[in-house]
């Protein structure tokens, strides 16, 4: 190479990742290593009331989980974070354990923020949210207090437990705001594939598409990094075939473990690169229209690849090469992604997830206030371009 590539790679402040069926047995030792004896478990209502899985997690803590908060909600409304924080505060929690999908995980991150920063009312979240105004106003508040340790046990493949970002929805504005601080990263993650077997298959597969989205937008990033390219390319190869295999054999925990590891690899370096408009629009499809997190990627990613093609031809060629396997021969990266979505029986148009054209103006306005949209490889000049993309995706 003719040029020395200067740069840096920031590692997430995470102590350990346990993986494999049965690895929840490590929970007690993880909490003991952190000197935590009074933990709050944050999970979903279905996991807590309609399965025995929550009991298994509590039992694995050997008495170190003292209470359970399960009144979480999709897209993480501020009110639910505040209620969970109140429970943690009242019990004097010394750790937070999240169990479930992205909503319990981001709720737990929100609780960590709320306890650290003395957030007692809904409006108090305003002083901690990221504020972005097109084209260049950016404010990222930093935690001033000392956050409680967070341990994450995911049951889906969206992989947000590996990041130091959280999305929390302001119900009044119907906007999902970002909260960013390295200190809210989970200290430990436990990837126990046996605990995912009761995750609805549509949710398992669609959140796998969210990890595909992580891989592709990271590879296409205008701040690309060789380490991230490597992890995401490998993860994308596993996801492309593994999601199909998991659909065909849902009870296979070995396949599920490989997918969990691929989801981890898809996102572990995202603190080092910028993402793009698929994630940015996806945030607002969730907050404003209630579209499940993974399905936002199913309906947007293939269209975003076409939108960004003029600025990411080389990267999309690499993606196509990775996704051309086992006899499949798509002609473009967008076609490869769309075929995967269809093979997984996931929705691939906005109309399929009950988004209406009347929603487009609000989605576009909110997306332009999302910092991730500002880093899209093809610059986005205003709401008109986003509305046009939404029309193409409809």
């Amino acid at each position: 190479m003719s040029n020395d590539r200067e740069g840096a790679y920031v590692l997430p402040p995470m102590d350990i990742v346990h993986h494999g069926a049965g690895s929840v047995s490590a929970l007690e030792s993880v909490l003991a290593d952190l000197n935590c004896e009074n933990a709050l478990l944050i999970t979903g209502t279905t996991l807590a009331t309609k399965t025995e899985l929550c009991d298994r997690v509590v039992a694995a803590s050997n008495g170190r989980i003292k209470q359970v908060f399960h009144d979480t909600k999709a897209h993480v409304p501020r009110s639910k974070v505040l209620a969970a924080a109140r429970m943690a505060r009242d019990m004097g929690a010394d750790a937070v354990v999240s169990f479930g999908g992205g909503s319990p995980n981001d709720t737990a991150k929100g609780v960590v923020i709320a306890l650290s920063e003395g957030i007692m009312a809904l409006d108090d979240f305003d002083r901690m949210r990221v504020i972005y105004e097109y084209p260049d106003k950016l404010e990222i508040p930093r935690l001033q207090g000392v956050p409680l340790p967070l341990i994450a046990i995911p049951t889906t493949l969206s992989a947000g437990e590996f990041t130091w970002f959280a999305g929390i929805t302001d119900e009044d504005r119907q906007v999902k705001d970002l909260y960013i601080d390295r200190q809210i990263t989970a200290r430990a993650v436990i990837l126990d594939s046996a605990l995912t077997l009761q995750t609805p298959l549509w949710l398992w597969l669609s959140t796998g598409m969210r990890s595909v989205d992580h891989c592709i937008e990271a590879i296409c990033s205008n701040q690309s990094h060789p380490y991230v390219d490597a992890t995401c390319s490998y993860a994308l190869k596993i996801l492309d075939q593994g999601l199909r295999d998991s659909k065909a054999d849902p009870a296979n925990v070995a396949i599920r473990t490989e997918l969990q590891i691929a989801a981890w690899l898809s996102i572990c370096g995202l603190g080092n690169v910028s993402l793009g408009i698929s994630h940015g629009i996806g945030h607002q499809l969730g907050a404003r229209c209630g579209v499940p997190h993974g399905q936002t990627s199913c309906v947007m990613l293939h269209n975003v690849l076409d939108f960004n093609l003029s600025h990411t031809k080389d990267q999309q060629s690499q993606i196509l090469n990775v996704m051309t396997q086992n006899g499949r021969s798509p002609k473009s990266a967008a076609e490869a992604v769309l075929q995967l979505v269809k093979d997984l029986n996931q929705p691939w148009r906005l109309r399929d997830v009950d988004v209406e054209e009347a929603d487009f103006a609000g989605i576009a306005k909110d997306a332009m206030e999302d910092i991730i949209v500002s880093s899209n490889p093809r610059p986005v000049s205003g709401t008109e371009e986003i509305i046009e993309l939404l029309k193409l995706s409809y």
Side-chain angles (χ1 to χ4, degrees):
M1 293 185 180
S2 58
N3 297 318
D4 180 28
R5 185 163 185 168
E6 295 183 3
Y9 181 85
V10 180
L11 294 167
M14 184 176 291
D15 295 335
I16 192 167
V17 178
H18 294 274
H19 49 80
S23 57
V24 73
S25 61
L27 180 57
E28 180 187 5
S29 65
V30 167
L31 289 167
D33 288 344
L34 294 168
N35 296 314
C36 297
E37 298 181 349
N38 191 30
L40 172 65
L41 180 66
I42 296 179
T43 188
T45 299
T46 298
L47 282 172
T49 64
K50 296 184 179 180
T51 78
E52 83 292 349
L53 298 177
C54 194
D55 291 338
R56 286 167 60 181
V57 173
V58 172
S61 78
N62 197 21
R64 292 175 185 267
I65 291 176
K66 295 295 198 296
Q67 292 193 44
V68 178
F69 179 89
H70 63 76
D71 190 22
T72 57
K73 187 177 179 181
H75 308 298
V76 196
R78 288 182 178 186
S79 58
K80 299 301 183 183
V81 177
L82 202 63
R86 188 178 303 116
M87 178 181 285
R89 190 177 289 113
D90 290 346
M91 66 180 281
D94 57 11
V96 178
V97 180
S98 71
F99 175 51
S103 296
N105 181 252
D106 274 9
T107 300
K109 289 179 180 178
V111 168
V112 168
I113 293 170
L115 296 180
S116 170
E117 304 308 301
I119 292 175
M120 307 292 288
L122 295 177
D123 290 346
D124 290 344
F125 285 98
D126 286 338
R127 56 186 165 87
M128 297 307 300
R129 68 182 178 93
V130 173
I131 295 177
Y132 172 74
E133 293 181 9
Y134 181 83
D136 56 10
K137 178 183 177 181
L138 176 62
E139 298 176 9
I140 305 179
R142 299 301 185 192
L143 267 62
Q144 301 302 308
V146 179
L148 293 182
L150 171 63
I151 298 95
I153 308 172
T155 60
T156 68
L157 292 169
S158 54
E161 58 276 358
F162 291 101
T163 73
W164 53 81
F165 323 124
I168 301 174
T169 297
D170 181 341
E171 298 104 308
D172 290 339
R173 292 164 43 241
Q174 291 187 297
V175 174
K176 181 176 281 189
D177 296 311
L178 282 177
Y179 296 76
I180 302 175
D181 196 291
R182 281 173 55 80
Q183 295 183 85
I184 67 172
T185 308
R187 295 288 298 275
V189 176
I190 297 174
L191 301 174
D192 188 333
S193 53
L195 296 179
T196 74
L197 290 171
Q198 295 187 52
T199 300
L201 187 58
W202 74 266
L203 180 60
W204 177 252
L205 298 175
S206 66
T207 54
M209 284 304 304
R210 192 62 171 175
S211 285
V212 169
D213 202 346
H214 301 328
C215 292
I216 288 177
E217 290 218 309
I219 293 169
C220 291
S221 173
N222 53 23
Q223 296 176 337
S224 63
H225 189 283
Y227 186 98
V228 178
D229 286 350
T231 57
C232 286
S233 294
Y234 180 79
L236 181 59
K237 181 178 181 179
I238 300 303
L239 290 161
D240 184 38
Q241 184 59 44
L243 289 170
R244 291 175 163 100
D245 292 344
S246 193
K247 178 177 180 292
D249 188 5
N252 190 316
V253 293
I255 294 172
R256 285 175 174 252
T257 295
E258 289 301 308
L259 288 171
Q260 286 184 309
I261 292 171
W264 168 24
L265 293 175
S266 80
I267 206 168
C268 64
L270 291 199
N272 294 271
V273 300
S274 56
L275 295 179
I277 199 169
S278 180
H279 280 75
I281 290 177
H283 292 159
Q284 309 317 325
L285 287 174
R288 181 173 287 273
C289 303
V291 182
H293 201 48
Q295 290 187 347
T296 65
S297 295
C298 295
V299 299
M300 291 308 306
L301 179 57
H302 58 99
N303 294 294
V304 167
L305 281 165
D306 281 336
F307 180 83
N308 284 335
L309 182 59
S310 61
H311 288 67
T312 58
K313 286 183 179 179
D314 290 343
Q315 296 96 320
Q316 292 199 35
S317 178
Q318 296 170 28
I319 291 164
L320 177 60
N321 185 57
V322 171
M323 299 185 74
T324 302
Q325 55 180 313
N326 294 328
R328 291 187 292 275
S329 54
K331 296 181 175 61
S332 68
E335 183 180 315
V337 169
L338 180 58
Q339 186 59 61
L340 176 57
V341 172
K342 290 182 176 180
D343 285 351
L344 299 178
N345 290 336
Q346 295 298 308
W348 55 277
R349 301 173 299 185
L350 286 172
R351 69 186 68 187
D352 300 328
V353 290
D354 298 324
V355 175
E356 299 179 358
E357 291 185 85
D359 299 316
F360 289 178
I363 294 167
K365 174 185 175 296
D366 297 341
M368 288 303 295
E369 296 175 3
D370 191 319
I371 185 176
I372 294 178
V373 171
S374 70
S375 61
N376 190 63
R378 171 182 161 181
V380 180
S381 62
T383 57
E384 296 81 6
E385 281 190 299
I386 295 179
I387 291 173
E388 187 61 31
L389 176 57
L390 293 171
K391 288 179 179 178
L392 291 172
S393 306
Y394 188 69

